[in-house]
Amino acid sequence: MMLADEPIAVLCIVLISMLPLALAGLALLNTGLGRSRSASQSLMGAMLAVSVAAVIFCVIGFSFAGFQGMTSYSLSLGSARLDWIGATGMFFGGLHWDGSLPGYAAAFEVFAVGLAAIIPWGSGADRWRLRAVGMASVLIGGLLFPLFAHWVWGGGWLASLGSSFQIGAGFVDPGGAATIQAFGGLTALVVVWLLGPRSGKFSGSSVPRAIPGHHMIFVLLGCMLMLPGWLAFNLLGATLYAGTTPQMLVPVAINTLFCAAMALMAALFITRIRFGKPDVSLCANGWVAGLVTSSAVAAFATPAEAMIAGTLIGGALPWLVELLEVHARIDDPSGAIVVHGFAGIWGLFAVGFMGSFPPGQMLAQLIGIGTLLGVMLPLIYGCFWLLNKVFPFRTSPEGEQVGMDLHELGAGAYPEFVIYGDDFLPR
Amino acid sequence: MMSGMTTLTLQIRMAGLALLIAGWLVLLFAVILLASPALRYVFVIVGLLVELLGLGMVGLHHRFETGGRA
């Protein structure tokens, strides 16, 4: 195994210690965008999802995910060889904690799987049971995430499209736009489909009722916390999976900020034009969508390209959220389907226009996107559909009425304040 | 009538999921069997379009389940 030299080792340790900020920021954002009557359950569920996914990933997940050069199973089709799943030992078996890159990759992926597990949690806010979230995190950490992570980060068939089939440099995703973000966004879509909308969201009218987030300070503070966390994901991912040297990491960092900044400003501009005043939750989601896009593009784009990519996703976000809610009748309180799913896929597509890759990079990116939609989405759907039969996802109507805090935890998040007459909804 | 409609939307969901997988198989075999970059692009884009059709059909099923018109 290739050993990291000392500056890279120090850099990796510092960046690994910053990764939890992204998880904390997203958990706060999800909580703020949900209802006050479910705030404790939201944060508790995020901690549960991270804990379960990380532990299961250590027990069994990393043995499937692996790292380039480690043992794996492959399928031979004629002269083609498709490396499809890792085959290392459980409990990080096969890893040597001697400063080699797979050790840092394992640490990176422990936090990555936690982030992927939190993303759908925000979409199921106010109605998804804790027990079901725990079981869903077992599936995410033990099977679904590791499988795709092996294909992209573990030297699997998507990563080796370049060497096996002369298609660009293979599918590239150093910051996790596919493996964490689009994967999480598609999982959120499945969860929202299986759970259905919150009660009262679509009843009695063709226009969905607005159920505003209860705490915009949490939302905006979460966004600010996410920036250093995302910098860590993008910088560490570029170091581990794109071979970027420490000297070349500065553009990755500034591209991350520029992408988010332009997406925020574009969302602010569009909502100002459409509604007369900027919409805080859509602007916050624009910021996060910019960060998600940066996960794909930051390692390869020029600053101008990063700004354009951010502007386009930030400007499109308000329309996409409306399209899903009004036309597809999808109730996604945190906006994760657009913010993580669509923005992640957009970033992966945009990479096809950037960087100095061998010919065919756009084709490699399209194959990666097609694999997310054509393999991961049906697989997630099938697994979660079965799980929902065994451990019903949705709480009872009474539970939804009193709020998930009282129903599942026995106490509210804000016991000394009367803060909900009925959270803007007539009963 | 309602039961017939439910059966229909369930069939739409199954067809949608099948199309998602079929679209991926199209692009996978385009990569394995074809050598020409142009042909690979064409078939990969066709595979993606089939997947989008499948995604739309699964979404249609769930739209009906939430009370929208299928």
Side-chain angles (χ1 to χ4, degrees):
Chain A
M1 274 321 148
M2 191 169 68
L3 295 180
D5 57 25
E6 199 167 323
I8 294 182
V10 172
L11 178 75
C12 287
I13 296 296
V14 170
L15 292 174
I16 286 169
S17 65
M18 287 167 62
L19 293 174
L21 291 171
L23 283 69
L26 186 58
L28 265 184
L29 177 117
N30 286 343
T31 302
L33 287 174
R35 284 166 150 173
S36 58
R37 64 178 88 165
S38 305
S40 290
Q41 194 244 13
S42 175
L43 271 177
M44 183 72 207
M47 291 172 69
L48 177 69
V50 172
S51 305
V52 172
V55 168
I56 295 295
F57 184 78
C58 168
V59 174
I60 192 168
F62 188 76
S63 64
F64 297 144
F67 192 75
Q68 187 128 26
M70 296 179 82
T71 321
S72 62
Y73 291 110
S74 60
L75 190 67
S76 293
L77 293 169
S79 60
R81 185 173 162 275
L82 300 176
D83 184 339
W84 69 281
I85 197 162
T88 56
M90 294 166 68
F91 293 98
F92 291 143
L95 278 182
H96 304 286
W97 306 103
D98 54 1
S100 58
L101 288 182
Y104 296 115
F108 176 84
E109 289 172 22
V110 163
F111 289 100
V113 75
L115 186 58
I118 296 179
I119 291 169
W121 176 232
S123 297
D126 303 322
R127 60 210 192 279
W128 198 4
R129 293 170 192 256
L130 269 180
R131 184 180 64 175
V133 171
M135 298 313 294
S137 301
V138 170
L139 274 178
I140 290 172
L143 174 67
L144 300 170
F145 175 89
L147 182 66
F148 196 69
H150 177 72
W151 295 349
V152 180
W153 288 339
W157 69 275
L158 279 173
S160 54
L161 282 174
S163 54
S164 305
F165 299 99
Q166 290 74 51
I167 302 176
F171 180 65
V172 292
D173 175 32
T179 318
I180 307 170
Q181 310 301 337
F183 170 84
L186 292 177
T187 309
L189 177 63
V190 170
V191 165
V192 168
W193 273 342
L194 294 176
L195 280 171
R198 289 170 288 181
S199 65
K201 179 71 181 176
F202 294 111
S203 60
S205 168
S206 59
V207 180
R209 289 199 179 100
I211 305 178
H214 87 280
H215 205 312
M216 285 303 127
I217 306 303
F218 280 0
V219 173
L220 295 173
L221 181 63
C223 285
M224 295 173 78
L225 275 177
M226 269 189 253
L227 178 62
W230 236 267
L231 283 168
F233 268 102
N234 288 353
L235 295 171
L236 192 52
T239 305
L240 291 171
Y241 305 115
T244 309
T245 57
Q247 295 83 356
M248 294 305 295
L249 286 178
V250 175
V252 181
I254 58 175
N255 285 345
T256 304
L257 175 63
F258 287 158
C259 217
M262 291 307 292
L264 170 80
M265 286 191 275
L268 189 146
F269 178 75
I270 295 291
T271 54
R272 169 74 179 79
I273 297 288
R274 291 194 68 204
F275 310 128
K277 289 181 180 172
D279 183 288
V280 174
S281 65
L282 285 173
C283 289
N285 271 342
W287 171 267
V288 183
L291 289 174
V292 168
T293 303
S294 80
S295 295
V297 305
F300 310 109
T302 63
E305 287 171 338
M307 286 184 198
I308 294 169
T311 305
L312 291 175
I313 190 61
L317 181 120
W319 311 95
L320 291 168
V321 167
E322 186 177 310
L323 182 79
L324 281 191
E325 188 166 310
V326 176
H327 300 288
R329 294 174 75 88
I330 284 175
D331 181 19
D332 178 6
S334 69
I337 298 165
V338 174
V339 168
H340 298 275
F342 193 90
I345 288 173
W346 156 244
L348 295 167
F349 176 74
V351 166
F353 297 106
M354 300 170 180
S356 50
F357 293 106
Q361 190 58 38
M362 175 58 86
L363 190 61
Q365 297 304 107
L366 290 177
I367 293 167
I369 293 168
T371 304
L372 273 167
L373 293 175
V375 182
M376 295 315 295
L377 180 59
L379 187 62
I380 296 166
Y381 193 101
C383 289
F384 277 36
W385 182 83
L386 278 175
L387 190 65
N388 187 33
K389 296 289 177 196
V390 183
F391 300 100
F393 281 11
R394 183 155 188 144
T395 189
S396 62
E398 297 75 31
E400 207 176 345
Q401 181 95 358
V402 298
M404 300 302 282
D405 283 357
L406 283 176
H407 185 65
E408 291 218 297
L409 303 176
Y414 310 99
E416 295 185 354
F417 303 97
V418 178
I419 48 170
Y420 50 87
D422 209 353
D423 280 16
F424 309 96
L425 274 182
R427 284 185 182 159
Chain B
M1 179 64 188
M2 194 60 201
S3 164
M5 202 62 186
T6 306
T7 308
L8 177 67
T9 65
L10 283 173
Q11 287 170 348
I12 288 174
R13 178 178 66 175
M14 293 314 292
L17 289 170
L19 281 177
L20 281 168
I21 297 166
W24 177 71
L25 289 175
V26 169
L27 66 85
L28 179 69
F29 283 108
V31 169
I32 294 172
L33 299 177
L34 302 174
S36 154
L39 272 178
R40 276 180 172 171
Y41 264 106
V42 169
F43 277 88
V44 165
I45 289 169
V46 167
L48 280 169
L49 291 175
V50 172
E51 288 181 0
L52 288 177
L53 181 65
L55 183 64
M57 288 171 73
V58 181
L60 196 65
H61 160 77
H62 286 283
R63 182 186 151 85
F64 177 72
E65 275 202 330
T66 61
R69 282 173 297 173

